[in-house]
Amino acid sequence: QVQLVESGGGSVQAGGSLRLSCATSGYGTTSTARYCLAWFRQALGKEREGVASIDRFDGTTYADSVKGRFTTSKDVNKKTTLFLQMDSLKPEDSAIYYCAATARWGGSCYGLGGADFSYWGQGTQVTVSS
């Protein structure tokens, strides 16, 4: 059972930055290279939306709303910690942010939506004030 624990959320003024971390564990005998890792967010009263994903080759994709402002990455050594660097934050970025993981042949993230992810963190609140 894969476990994910987010940290790094908080309150910031518009234009500021935050860095979220997601510590992952419990892969067992399955190589971490088989997993797609991703970030989702859900604002109050809104549906959950995908923010960013990263595959086994560190290929990344981003929602249009965060392109050029957010960057996701994995730790260099063990590839078991996921990061989301959020710059130029806007009030509309306020939400609970979740990291998620799912095993996929070849570790690809192509075509995956929220319903395809098997493992989720507990979420961390990000609040951006104007």
Side-chain angles (χ1 to χ4, degrees):
Q1 181 85 359
V2 177
Q3 293 92 40
L4 304 97
V5 179
E6 301 99 336
S7 61
S11 298
V12 66
Q13 288 192 328
S17 298
L18 283 173
R19 181 178 171 88
L20 305 184
S21 298
C22 175
T24 71
S25 61
Y27 290 101
T29 58
T30 304
S31 169
T32 56
R34 284 192 58 197
Y35 284 81
C36 168
L37 301 176
W39 292 96
F40 292 82
R41 67 185 181 186
Q42 187 165 20
L44 190 64
K46 295 187 177 181
E47 292 187 356
R48 181 180 61 197
E49 63 172 340
V51 175
S53 66
I54 184 166
D55 64 24
R56 66 171 294 187
F57 298 110
D58 292 343
T60 56
T61 60
Y62 298 94
D64 288 343
S65 59
V66 305
K67 279 181 182 177
R69 300 188 298 119
F70 289 13
T71 304
T72 191
S73 61
K74 289 180 275 187
D75 67 290
V76 175
N77 294 324
K78 294 186 177 180
K79 306 286 187 179
T80 56
T81 302
L82 180 66
F83 302 105
L84 184 67
Q85 177 67 40
M86 304 185 293
D87 299 317
S88 303
L89 282 161
K90 304 175 181 180
E92 51 264 43
D93 294 318
S94 297
I96 299 175
Y97 283 72
Y98 300 90
C99 59
T102 197
R104 190 96 184 280
W105 181 257
S108 169
C109 295
Y110 183 76
L112 295 181
D116 299 308
F117 283 81
S118 302
Y119 307 103
W120 293 81
Q122 82 287 354
T124 186
Q125 178 71 49
V126 171
T127 303
V128 184
S129 58
S130 57

